[in-house]
Amino acid sequence: MKDWRSLFQKRILERGRDYFYEDAVRELHKTRDGYEAEVEGSEDYVVEIIMQDESIREMYCDCPYAESGLNCKHMAAVLYAIEELRGCMENDLTVSCLDSTDQLSQIIAEADEKELRAFIIKQAENDRILRQKILLHFTDTIDHSIMDRLHAEAEQIKEEFEDRSGYISYEDAWDFEERLSDFLYENISLLIGKNENMLAFELVNQVVDLLATVEIDDSDGIMTSLANQCYEKWTEILERCSPQEEQTMFSWFAKRSSSIQSDEWMAELIETFMMNEFHSRKQLQEKMKMLDDRIRDYQKCTKNEDLYFARYACERDIIMRISCMHELNCSDEEIRVYRRRFMTYPGIRELEINDLIGQRKYDDAIDMLCEWKKVYHEQGCLSVLYSKKLIEIYEMLKDEKACKEELLSYLFEYGQADIDSFRKLKTLCQKKEWEALLKQLLEDRRFRSIHYELLNDEKMYEQMLMLLEHEQNISILDRYEKILFPLYPDKLMDLYVSYLQKEAACSGSRAKYKNLLCYLNKLRKYPGGDEMISQIADDWRHRYKRRRVMMQEMHIAGF
């Protein structure tokens, strides 16, 4: 192959080579136009390399990085594998003949011990990460110098991916996540294995603090993924802690939770861990005291710009406080008295209703819900919740009249497009009454999202087809194709042809063209479908001949 390395950024090329050495390239095989393989990573991705003579004509990978139009590490990994397959490996890959674990083990077993030790020392002197791994793995005592190097390594990972302004771009975000994930996995596991639980805890905390300072394009949820990994490592450490170490961890979380500002991303992570993972009596009592202090502070809030958050946070803390009371086995009456101090909060009212239902005090629950419906009538979302709860209670009590009245209110007064509720309503209506209601809801645009399901339930297929012709919704057409095909094959094919021509008029990605060709193939089962496919394919080859990727996909698909 002609030199392809210039197609990649240096760091991407290095990561691709790492993937190749790690045997991440699977199922590499030759195709009519090049090669295809699967690459294992945080997820598995399919890579396709299209060749022309000795040049790369096109590369495709379904990872998010490549979808943005850039050449990714998975493509590079496959190209390294292709070179190995074709027997033209360059100097940086001359050890490929030794890449199997068995062969490597055999060579190490046969090597001179003194020479091997000297080789490892030399490599470690030139490779900071290898040196750190050796020190951490083989030392009996983890001293401050080793931990200082680990802390420095975490900072260096961040700095490596930052640009001059300190920002990590979308193109580098995935590699940043992968490097930091590897750092956590390797080092925390080693520290825990040596029973250095507090040092492991300290290192995870440093990563959390580091993430709090990162400026990153988080379009793909990288920060959430890393936060979840930190949570998992905390859990792993906590499971192996002594009681004294557990209390040290709890004290750290309590201190950080009380000092964190509401706009910091790690607030929810730290708060969630502290509330979910510590359950001794002393810890529960400390959590309750802390929650009481915060609840009082939130209730004192008078600034308009802070009121919304204060109400949200106060309700959250009250619910967590009640959860602690349950864990401490407080009496039902004590919990009930506490709860009723805060009935202005929707979440607390929900707890009260559930408590009444649990005690089978249905009349009290109904009276309370009806009252709240009136009080909060202008706050539609709350009235909807109370109406839905009333329906559930009437169903439990088998009160069909009350259930029907509440369903009518829930559906038509509040405009809830809930197909299951309409189905319930039908079972409570006479035939003529239901027909009138059905006509009303099919004319009401608030219920557009469930029109097709209702038409399908009622077997009103002609009306469904008319609606499809009007809306041209391809996903709905796919959903009901099997039902409509025996009845209206010609009209369905017309709908698909219309969709194909409309979508083909706008250029797109390789994935889009593959999708269009799948739909084109779908026409084969329709009467006259083969002839229609031939006409469309001829038209596209003539009209869109300058779209190189589209023409390639048509060729690959046999058009």
Side-chain angles (χ1 to χ4, degrees):
M1 290 188 297
K2 292 183 179 178
D3 182 40
W4 50 266
R5 289 164 177 76
S6 60
L7 300 174
F8 297 88
Q9 296 178 27
K10 181 181 177 182
R11 185 166 62 248
I12 298 298
L13 190 64
E14 289 172 352
R15 295 298 293 131
R17 185 171 58 189
D18 289 345
Y19 267 46
F20 168 71
Y21 278 135
E22 292 164 7
D23 288 330
V25 180
R26 303 291 183 188
E27 299 181 22
L28 174 65
H29 61 276
K30 202 167 187 328
T31 64
R32 182 169 57 182
D33 299 293
Y35 296 87
E36 191 172 290
E38 188 176 279
V39 181
E40 295 178 347
S42 53
E43 293 186 27
D44 293 348
Y45 297 110
V46 175
V47 174
E48 183 181 356
I49 309 293
I50 296 174
M51 309 286 296
Q52 186 172 26
D53 299 326
E54 285 297 302
S55 298
I56 296 168
R57 191 174 71 190
E58 193 76 39
M59 293 188 289
Y60 170 77
C61 178
D62 56 1
C63 75
Y65 185 80
E67 288 286 348
S68 63
L70 299 165
N71 294 338
C72 67
K73 59 193 174 187
H74 308 107
M75 297 171 181
V78 172
L79 287 167
Y80 277 121
I82 291 170
E83 279 198 338
E84 180 186 47
L85 185 69
R86 295 174 62 165
C88 56
M89 305 296 284
E90 297 193 6
N91 292 335
D92 60 346
L93 293 176
T94 53
V95 297
S96 63
C97 61
L98 305 176
D99 62 356
S100 80
T101 303
D102 291 342
Q103 288 173 321
L104 182 62
S105 297
Q106 182 181 351
I107 288 174
I108 290 174
E110 295 173 354
D112 177 75
E113 184 177 336
K114 186 176 180 181
E115 184 180 349
L116 182 60
R117 287 177 182 273
F119 176 79
I120 292 172
I121 291 171
K122 185 176 181 180
Q123 293 300 311
E125 287 173 349
N126 297 320
D127 188 325
R128 172 179 51 82
I129 294 176
L130 176 60
R131 182 172 65 251
Q132 184 65 31
K133 286 181 178 179
I134 292 172
L135 286 171
L136 194 59
H137 189 85
F138 290 101
T139 188
D140 293 327
T141 305
I142 308 296
D143 60 24
H144 289 297
S145 63
I146 293 176
M147 291 307 299
D148 288 344
R149 283 194 287 268
L150 280 176
H151 292 309
E153 184 180 341
E155 290 290 343
Q156 287 166 2
I157 290 171
K158 173 174 171 274
E159 292 168 5
E160 178 184 343
F161 291 94
E162 288 178 331
D163 61 20
R164 290 181 180 178
S165 64
Y167 185 76
I168 299 177
S169 67
Y170 177 83
E171 290 77 14
D172 291 328
W174 282 96
D175 283 337
F176 170 70
E177 189 266 348
E178 188 170 34
R179 282 287 302 282
L180 207 53
S181 296
D182 290 345
F183 173 82
L184 278 169
Y185 176 78
E186 293 172 1
N187 296 304
I188 300 302
S189 297
L190 277 170
L191 287 168
I192 293 173
K194 292 180 176 294
N195 205 31
E196 296 286 358
N197 299 319
M198 291 299 94
L199 292 180
F201 181 55
E202 178 187 320
L203 191 58
V204 178
N205 297 346
Q206 190 215 356
V207 171
V208 169
D209 288 338
L210 179 147
L211 291 174
T213 66
V214 166
E215 294 290 333
I216 188 171
D217 184 330
D218 196 28
S219 303
D220 290 328
I222 297 297
M223 297 297 279
T224 299
S225 171
L226 288 168
N228 290 338
Q229 291 178 57
C230 290
Y231 192 110
E232 289 170 6
K233 291 302 173 187
W234 277 334
T235 305
E236 193 177 341
I237 295 165
L238 185 61
E239 288 172 351
R240 290 162 174 77
C241 272
S242 67
Q244 185 178 354
E245 289 173 333
E246 179 180 332
Q247 189 58 36
T248 300
M249 287 184 69
F250 176 79
S251 298
W252 183 89
F253 279 101
K255 183 177 179 180
R256 291 299 296 269
S257 183
S258 61
S259 64
I260 284 176
Q261 299 299 313
S262 61
D263 59 344
E264 293 186 29
W265 76 268
M266 85 277 271
E268 185 176 353
L269 176 69
I270 290 174
E271 183 82 11
T272 301
F273 192 91
M274 185 182 70
M275 291 301 167
N276 289 350
E277 306 299 336
F278 296 97
H279 304 285
S280 76
R281 187 170 188 82
K282 180 182 176 183
Q283 290 162 355
L284 290 168
Q285 289 170 339
E286 288 186 42
K287 284 195 282 186
M288 282 175 56
K289 183 179 182 304
M290 183 187 71
L291 290 167
D292 286 339
D293 292 340
R294 290 202 322 214
I295 290 166
R296 278 193 297 271
D297 289 340
Y298 288 136
Q299 289 184 314
K300 292 176 185 176
C301 179
T302 57
K303 292 182 181 179
N304 288 333
E305 63 269 23
D306 296 334
L307 279 175
Y308 177 81
F309 174 77
R311 280 194 60 82
Y312 158 77
C314 190
E315 179 181 293
R316 177 202 62 198
D317 284 0
I318 293 165
I319 291 171
M320 287 193 291
R321 212 270 192 191
I322 292 170
S323 177
C324 289
M325 293 175 76
H326 281 294
E327 284 196 72
L328 285 168
N329 294 317
C330 294
S331 69
D332 292 342
E333 182 60 25
E334 187 180 352
I335 293 172
R336 194 173 300 116
V337 168
Y338 178 81
R339 187 172 61 228
R340 288 180 178 175
R341 289 168 49 194
F342 303 101
M343 294 293 280
T344 56
Y345 296 95
I348 311 306
R349 291 196 292 270
E350 184 177 354
L351 293 178
E352 180 72 11
I353 290 297
N354 290 337
D355 185 46
L356 290 171
I357 292 172
Q359 297 179 65
R360 299 189 178 183
K361 295 181 179 180
Y362 300 118
D363 290 341
D364 290 344
I366 290 168
D367 289 343
M368 198 171 283
L369 286 166
C370 289
E371 179 186 350
W372 290 343
K373 266 186 66 178
K374 292 175 184 176
V375 172
Y376 298 100
H377 182 72
E378 293 184 0
Q379 294 177 255
C381 59
L382 291 177
S383 295
V384 167
L385 290 174
Y386 302 145
S387 179
K388 191 169 186 178
K389 203 69 178 178
L390 281 167
I391 293 167
E392 292 174 10
I393 295 173
Y394 292 139
E395 284 186 300
M396 284 192 289
L397 298 175
K398 302 189 185 308
D399 188 339
E400 293 187 357
K401 181 180 178 183
C403 186
K404 178 181 173 182
E405 289 177 2
E406 197 58 47
L407 276 167
L408 287 167
S409 173
Y410 175 73
L411 294 167
F412 290 97
E413 183 180 351
Y414 300 122
Q416 296 302 296
D418 182 347
I419 186 65
D420 290 331
S421 294
F422 275 110
R423 288 166 179 160
K424 289 176 188 174
L425 182 59
K426 181 181 178 180
T427 65
L428 301 172
C429 291
Q430 299 294 325
K431 183 179 178 181
K432 287 186 178 180
E433 183 183 13
W434 171 247
E435 288 174 354
L437 287 171
L438 183 62
K439 184 176 183 297
Q440 180 183 343
L441 70 92
L442 288 173
E443 293 172 354
D444 194 328
R445 294 181 64 83
R446 293 180 300 171
F447 305 121
R448 285 182 62 186
S449 62
I450 59 169
H451 280 171
Y452 287 102
E453 289 179 275
L454 285 165
L455 290 169
N456 186 46
D457 286 352
E458 301 298 318
K459 295 183 171 49
M460 298 169 68
Y461 299 128
E462 187 174 352
Q463 291 91 325
M464 183 187 288
L465 181 64
M466 290 171 61
L467 192 58
L468 276 168
E469 289 174 332
H470 173 70
E471 294 186 347
Q472 299 280 311
N473 188 318
I474 192 66
S475 62
I476 299 294
L477 178 57
D478 288 342
R479 189 187 307 173
Y480 294 106
E481 182 191 12
K482 286 184 179 180
I483 295 170
L484 296 175
F485 174 72
L487 303 171
Y488 313 104
D490 294 339
K491 291 187 176 181
L492 254 63
M493 185 165 78
D494 290 343
L495 284 170
Y496 277 118
V497 170
S498 174
Y499 165 76
L500 284 165
Q501 298 291 27
K502 179 181 176 182
E503 289 297 308
C506 303
S507 61
S509 64
R510 183 179 296 276
K512 174 182 175 177
Y513 296 136
K514 284 185 174 182
N515 185 55
L516 284 180
L517 294 170
C518 286
Y519 274 104
L520 191 60
N521 261 322
K522 185 192 281 275
L523 301 184
R524 294 192 188 280
K525 67 182 179 183
Y526 286 85
D530 288 335
E531 184 180 349
M532 180 59 70
I533 289 171
S534 179
Q535 291 176 12
I536 292 172
D538 288 345
D539 176 56
W540 286 358
R541 280 194 296 271
H542 173 72
R543 186 177 302 185
Y544 307 122
K545 59 186 177 183
R546 294 185 183 276
R547 295 184 189 172
R548 184 161 50 93
V549 175
M550 185 180 186
M551 294 300 103
Q552 288 170 0
E553 287 303 321
M554 289 184 67
H555 177 68
I556 291 168
F559 294 107

